């Protein structure tokens, strides 16, 4: 376990020593502030609108950070050849995968805490309420989703050597699931037969990332989601993360690293 | 004497990924044996298969057939690598870390205790003369400094066997001398050193035994004296063994 934490530590260290991470951080902070400054009138509709945009911004930024960081990890190790002195030590390839995953996930978690803190301060200063539990649920769900995404990107980065292609494909997959994944079953009903079964099959077969976007709750202050649902969603995310990490390990386990 | 490192009928084919699926045979049934406490030089022209042999021993490349063993354990088991130190050829260590942080990271991978870790890191940085640069990021290092970080990293677990791929490449004469001194010191401590090199002069001075391979085949193995017997020096013997014909002088 210490080996996995040591590997994760290197991932996090790299992130805060690279400038691009800060750029995104500062950009989101500035935009969030700007968006809130637009709102001179205490109009409820406008406040909702601003909150909606800010949440979307947080979502996109954290996805960018998670995907871009993760896609780079293993290819960079191979490019710089640091994977060789590393694997020459008593560490298994499974531990390398686990360490990379943990590092990226913790880094994403740190980013989320900062983002949601900004958001909570701004939203609450307008609305004069502090629905802390609700914010926690929203952030937690997003962190669960990022676990699935990071595991998926790690899997992709083993098969596609170029981090840019891994990132692009991951973005398309994640955005696709978020936008249409939840509607596939309804779309299926309006289709002729072979297509209907295929779409319905796909619906049951993909990780439903769209469940993790709690923006409506936050925007309309709808109160908390039941903890049972949160727990179920957490377990569902854990299962998908496990599946993707296992597939990543299977691909990496026998990979000839010199080609 | 116990055998520390051994390969038996080791064959490695690289399969290209293009549509012709051509295979490149890098090693053809290589038999090697390195005994405890010796400094063993592994020689051969460019592309002879030295790095490939080491890659098999470290588990990076699966052998097509044959076996490799370290301390009697098949190299396919990670545990075979617990007591070895490895210096790869041309590696660019994590640029954003300092030398000290890099060594600390590797020490954690070996599960060293914290007190022991600090002591070793200080000693190793002194050994490779990087104390003054220990707190600078590795990206600011010169090539020779990076090579010395590599050497320090190979020694972090106080290994019984060192596998060094061209340890002196990229070093100035002084740096080379230091590396030779370090190898000598390791030998005096009873460690086994297996290294590849193109510097036949230095091989002559520090090796107990050498092996020469060419096109993936073992051509000669023995002490420096045995191999250079009947030749002016090791270099002449090497050239003869790998079939080098001196070209006629240009008019
Ligand atoms: N990943 C690879 N894919 C295909 N062929 C390879 C690969 N790695 C090495 N080879 C081939 O295998 C042969 C042996 O290469 P190797 O790197 O082991 O040589 P070497 O003895 O270390 O040479 P050098 O002194 O230049 O470092 C060469 O012909 C090389 O072209
Ligand atoms: Mg080589």
């Amino acid at each position: 376990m210490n080996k996995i934490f040591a590997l994760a530590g290197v991932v996090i260290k790299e992130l805060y020593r690279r400038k691009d991470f800060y750029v995104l951080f500062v950009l989101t902070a500035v935009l969030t502030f700007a968006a809130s400054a637009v709102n001179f009138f205490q109009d409820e509709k406008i406040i909702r609108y601003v909150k909606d945009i800010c949440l979307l911004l947080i979502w996109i930024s954290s996805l960018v950070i998670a995907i871009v960081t993760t896609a780079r990890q293993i290819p960079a190790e191979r490019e710089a050849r640091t994977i060789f002195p590393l694997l020459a030590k008593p560490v298994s390839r499974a531990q390398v995968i686990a360490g990379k995953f943990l590092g990226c996930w913790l880094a994403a978690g740190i980013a989320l805490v900062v983002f949601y803190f900004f958001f909570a301060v701004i939203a609450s200063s307008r609305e004069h309420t502090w629905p802390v539990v609700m914010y926690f649920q929203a952030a937690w769900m997003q962190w669960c989703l990022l676990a699935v995404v990071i595991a998926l990107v790690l899997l992709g980065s083993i098969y596609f050597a170029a981090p840019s292609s891994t990132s692009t494909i991951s973005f398309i997959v994640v955005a696709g699931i978020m936008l249409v994944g939840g509607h596939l079953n309804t779309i299926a009903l309006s289709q002729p037969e072979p297509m209907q079964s295929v779409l319905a099959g796909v619906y049951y077969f993909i990780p439903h990332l769209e469940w993790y976007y709690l923006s409506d709750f936050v925007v309309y202050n709808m109160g908390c989601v039941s903890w049972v649902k949160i727990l179920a969603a957490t377990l569902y995310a854990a299962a998908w993360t496990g599946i993707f990490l296992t597939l990543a390990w299977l691909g990496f386990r026998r990979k000839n690293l010199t080609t | 004497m116990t055998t520390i490192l051994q390969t038996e009928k080791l064959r490695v084919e690289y399969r290209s990924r293009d549509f012709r699926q051509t295979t490149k045979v890098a090693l053809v049934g290589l038999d090697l044996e390195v005994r405890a406490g010796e400094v063993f030089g592994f020689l051969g022209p460019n592309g002879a298969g030295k790095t490939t042999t080491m890659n098999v021993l470290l588990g990076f490349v699966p052998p097509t057939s044959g076996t490799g063993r370290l301390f009697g354990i098949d190299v396919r088991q990670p545990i075979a690598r617990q007591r070895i130190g490895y210096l790869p050829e041309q590696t660019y260590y994590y640029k954003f870390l300092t030398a000290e942080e890099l060594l600390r990271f590797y020490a954690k991978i070996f599960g060293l205790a914290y007190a022991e870790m600090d002591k070793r890191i200080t000693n190793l940085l002194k050994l490779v003369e990087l104390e003054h640069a220990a707190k600078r990021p590795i990206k600011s290092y010169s090539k020779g400094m990076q090579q010395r970080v590599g050497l320090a990293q190979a020694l972090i677990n106080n290994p019984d066997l060192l596998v060094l791929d061209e340890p002196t490449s990229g070093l100035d004469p002084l740096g080379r001398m230091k590396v030779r001194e370090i190898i000598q010191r390791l030998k005096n401590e009873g460690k086994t050193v297996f290294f590849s090199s193109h510097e036949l002069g230095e091989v002559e001075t520090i090796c107990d035994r050498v092996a020469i391979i060419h096109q993936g085949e073992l051509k000669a193995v023995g002490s420096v004296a045995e191999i250079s017997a009947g030749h002016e020096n090791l270099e002449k013997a090497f050239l003869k063994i790998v079939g080098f014909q001196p070209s006629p002088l240009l008019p």
Side-chain angles (χ1 to χ4, degrees):
Chain A
M1 205 57 204
N2 280 336
K3 299 180 186 183
I4 296 175
F5 277 112
L7 282 157
V10 171
V11 174
I12 293 173
K13 235 175 225 161
E14 175 180 17
L15 259 186
Y16 74 67
R17 287 187 187 168
R18 279 177 67 112
K19 305 286 179 294
D20 49 354
F21 187 55
Y22 289 105
V23 171
L24 207 57
F25 234 83
V26 171
L27 201 69
T28 309
V30 167
L31 284 175
T32 314
F33 269 121
S36 66
V38 169
N39 169 22
F40 291 117
F41 318 98
Q42 293 289 337
D43 180 356
E44 225 169 67
K45 255 199 202 139
I46 298 181
I47 292 180
R48 276 187 203 145
Y49 184 65
V50 170
K51 279 169 81 177
D52 209 0
I53 294 199
C54 289
L55 273 181
L56 189 65
L57 210 64
I58 292 177
W59 265 74
I60 295 175
S61 308
S62 57
L63 270 177
V64 170
I65 291 179
I67 292 181
V68 172
T69 313
T70 314
R72 197 177 55 221
Q73 292 305 322
I74 288 177
E77 290 265 356
R78 295 183 63 187
E79 178 117 351
R81 305 169 62 90
T82 41
I83 193 80
F84 296 118
L86 180 59
L87 287 179
K89 303 196 167 35
V91 59
S92 68
R93 294 189 184 194
Q95 285 170 322
V96 172
I97 297 271
K100 292 293 184 188
F101 169 78
L102 187 67
C104 295
W105 193 48
L106 289 178
I110 295 169
L112 276 185
V113 168
V114 176
F115 286 152
Y116 271 90
F117 180 74
F118 264 114
F119 179 81
V121 167
I122 286 160
S124 302
S125 70
R126 299 286 160 189
E127 295 177 332
H128 309 292
T129 55
W130 280 88
V132 178
V133 179
M134 189 175 67
Y135 290 149
F136 172 76
Q137 286 186 335
W140 174 261
M141 284 289 93
Q142 192 172 348
W143 202 31
C144 287
L145 165 125
L146 288 177
V148 180
V149 171
I150 288 168
L152 175 72
V153 177
L154 213 48
L155 169 65
S157 75
I158 286 168
Y159 292 97
F160 306 106
S164 57
S165 42
T166 312
S167 302
T168 315
I169 294 170
S170 307
F171 264 119
I172 294 171
V173 169
V174 172
I177 293 178
M178 299 278 305
L179 294 176
V180 296
H183 308 300
L184 274 181
N185 54 345
T186 22
I187 298 170
L189 292 178
S190 63
Q191 298 291 317
E193 203 5 277
M195 206 52 199
Q196 185 174 350
S197 306
V198 170
L199 284 181
V202 169
Y203 177 79
Y204 286 106
F205 217 75
I206 54 171
H208 283 279
L209 303 179
E210 76 282 358
W211 293 345
Y212 293 81
Y213 191 35
L214 297 188
S215 76
D216 285 355
F217 281 86
V218 177
V219 171
Y220 293 99
N221 278 334
M222 275 154 68
C224 296
V225 184
S226 93
W227 288 102
V228 178
K229 280 190 187 163
I230 297 280
L231 180 68
T234 305
L235 292 177
Y236 180 79
W240 273 106
T241 306
I243 290 172
F244 288 139
L245 286 181
T246 308
L247 290 175
W249 170 67
L250 287 175
F252 192 50
R253 191 176 50 145
R254 294 260 167 261
K255 203 169 181 72
N256 179 344
L257 296 170
T258 61
T259 46
Chain B
M1 249 191 179
T2 44
T3 302
I4 298 276
L5 180 160
Q6 188 182 28
T7 66
E8 270 176 324
K9 303 206 170 51
L10 194 64
R11 183 182 177 86
V12 173
E13 294 171 6
Y14 287 110
R15 195 160 292 124
S16 74
R17 295 228 207 109
D18 61 19
F19 63 96
R20 273 172 294 173
Q21 290 277 305
T22 49
T23 55
K24 164 96 188 84
V25 182
L27 290 178
V28 196
L30 186 69
D31 288 306
L32 269 186
E33 210 183 285
V34 178
R35 301 174 203 140
E38 64 182 1
V39 174
F40 194 99
F42 195 34
L43 314 179
N46 288 135
K50 303 182 295 295
T51 300
T52 303
T53 309
M54 293 186 176
N55 282 345
V56 170
L57 291 170
L58 290 152
F60 306 143
V61 174
T64 310
S65 64
T67 52
R69 287 170 189 282
L70 298 172
F71 304 100
I73 306 170
D74 192 298
V75 294
R76 277 169 297 190
Q77 292 175 263
I79 191 73
R81 290 185 277 286
Q82 184 75 36
R83 287 157 63 203
I84 72 164
Y86 169 57
L87 172 71
E89 100 186 305
Q90 335 157 345
T91 295
Y92 313 97
Y93 294 92
Y94 305 99
K95 302 195 280 276
F96 49 90
L97 294 184
T98 66
E100 197 183 310
E101 287 169 330
L102 184 83
L103 294 179
R104 190 170 300 278
F105 165 62
Y106 286 134
K108 283 184 192 157
I109 295 284
F110 275 107
L112 296 186
Y114 277 87
E116 179 66 20
M117 218 182 258
D118 289 337
K119 212 168 70 199
R120 280 208 202 156
I121 292 171
T122 318
N123 288 344
L124 282 175
L125 287 171
K126 199 177 291 167
L127 181 72
V128 299
E129 296 177 351
L130 281 176
E131 310 113 297
H132 62 286
K135 298 208 185 313
R136 267 203 276 144
I138 293 177
K139 64 170 167 250
S140 71
Y141 285 13
S142 74
K143 192 168 150 197
M145 287 164 88
Q146 293 208 17
Q147 186 76 358
R148 285 184 281 157
V149 172
L151 194 61
Q153 128 335 102
L155 294 168
I156 190 79
N157 58 329
N158 193 18
D160 294 323
L161 166 67
L162 276 138
V163 177
L164 313 173
D165 202 348
E166 302 188 22
T168 53
S169 87
L171 294 183
D172 60 20
L174 197 71
R176 279 162 200 254
M177 202 183 71
K178 280 298 294 182
V179 170
R180 279 206 298 277
E181 261 175 40
I182 292 172
I183 293 179
Q184 197 62 51
R185 223 165 107 175
L186 292 166
K187 181 187 156 63
N188 294 344
E189 288 171 19
K191 320 251 176 206
T192 312
V193 182
F194 176 69
F195 75 103
S196 72
S197 178
H198 292 296
E199 296 295 320
L200 298 181
E202 92 193 5
V203 167
E204 241 170 347
T205 56
I206 56 174
C207 288
D208 298 311
R209 291 201 307 145
V210 297
I212 299 177
I213 64 166
H214 183 39
Q215 297 178 342
E217 275 182 84
L218 186 68
K219 294 292 184 192
V221 60
S223 67
V224 173
E226 280 164 19
I227 290 187
S228 39
H231 297 279
E232 213 173 300
N233 55 22
L234 186 62
E235 186 174 359
K236 290 274 164 22
F238 176 87
L239 293 174
K240 180 83 196 308
I241 288 167
V242 303
F244 172 78
Q245 304 288 341
S247 50
L249 286 178
L250 295 172

